[in-house]
Amino acid sequence: KEIMTTEMRCGLVEDLLKIKDQDSVLIMGGGPSTKSVDLSSFDDMPKWTMNNFYKNEKISGQKNIQLVSFLDNIDLEDNNLWNFLEENKPLLVQEISDYGANRINHIKSKYNKTTYMHTRYRSRIGIGARLTVFAILMGIKDIYTVGMDGYDVGSKDTHAFEKNKDLPQWLVRLGPKVQKQQMVVFWDYILNTLSKSHDFKIHDLAVDCPTNQCSFITGENL
């Protein structure tokens, strides 16, 4: 069974039905602001995160991690990842990607609380942006975000989950102007397309953080 609309496609499983139309979610990305923002007041809120989150004790120690998702470059042979999943039992939502069904089937062979999704929106600024879109499409009303900073090309503090992570090659090749363009496309889609058909509010917890590269376009409550 699937959920299929003009904006997304995803595998329909029982855990996804529990998420649909819930009141709120906190999406924790890998940007540096995830390290600096105080998340203690969000203990009881369902949380989504991604990629190498489990390498950051602040994130892996959070209560109520409801959903995780991975990009294709995440090492699926790291036992620490699967130990975390088996202990905490979040829903693993894998994007339909260049590896197609092979990667999804490989994940399902290791962990049974798994499904797949793909949003019509897709860009270079990371899976956090796509999970934000997914949350909107799942009918969640209040969406809190942190760690969706973008990259500061002049800083070595690039990531909350991975120390000394290199800048992505597209950013090195094309420069920060393209990153800003990608952010404009993302918020244009949110505000001028999705807001016309869905009832939601996005709260950017990192709006005042110096690492936030999209503060030129975001507000505290969008």
Side-chain angles (χ1 to χ4, degrees), residues 67-160:
L67 182 151
V68 300
S69 191
F70 306 134
L71 292 175
D72 286 346
N73 61 352
I74 300 305
D75 181 10
L76 296 183
E77 305 309 318
D78 187 341
N79 288 332
N80 291 323
L81 168 59
W82 302 109
N83 290 340
F84 176 91
L85 295 177
E86 289 297 340
E87 182 177 345
N88 293 275
K89 300 295 185 182
L91 177 63
L92 198 168
V93 178
Q94 174 64 29
E95 284 192 296
I96 302 171
S97 67
D98 293 342
Y99 292 113
N102 288 338
R103 185 173 177 87
I104 294 170
N105 290 334
H106 180 54
I107 289 171
K108 285 182 176 180
S109 72
K110 288 177 170 288
Y111 184 67
N112 60 7
K113 290 189 64 170
T114 301
T115 189
Y116 58 88
M117 69 91 172
H118 193 79
T119 55
R120 183 170 72 89
Y121 167 82
R122 187 172 174 84
S123 74
R124 293 287 190 178
I125 57 175
I127 196 169
R130 299 193 289 278
L131 285 181
T132 301
V133 169
F134 188 57
I136 293 169
L137 296 174
M138 292 302 295
I140 299 177
K141 303 300 185 290
D142 281 296
I143 301 165
Y144 295 80
T145 65
V146 68
M148 289 172 54
D149 305 347
Y151 287 95
D152 180 353
V153 296
S155 173
K156 293 183 179 179
D157 183 17
T158 60
H159 214 269

Side-chain angles (χ1 to χ4, degrees), residues 171-195:
L171 182 57
V172 173
R173 187 173 68 253
L174 301 174
K177 181 183 290 187
V178 170
Q179 178 173 247
K180 285 191 173 184
Q181 290 172 339
Q182 295 273 303
M183 291 171 175
V184 169
V185 169
F186 171 66
W187 289 111
D188 177 69
Y189 175 62
I190 294 285
L191 298 174
N192 294 318
T193 298
L194 294 184
S195 67

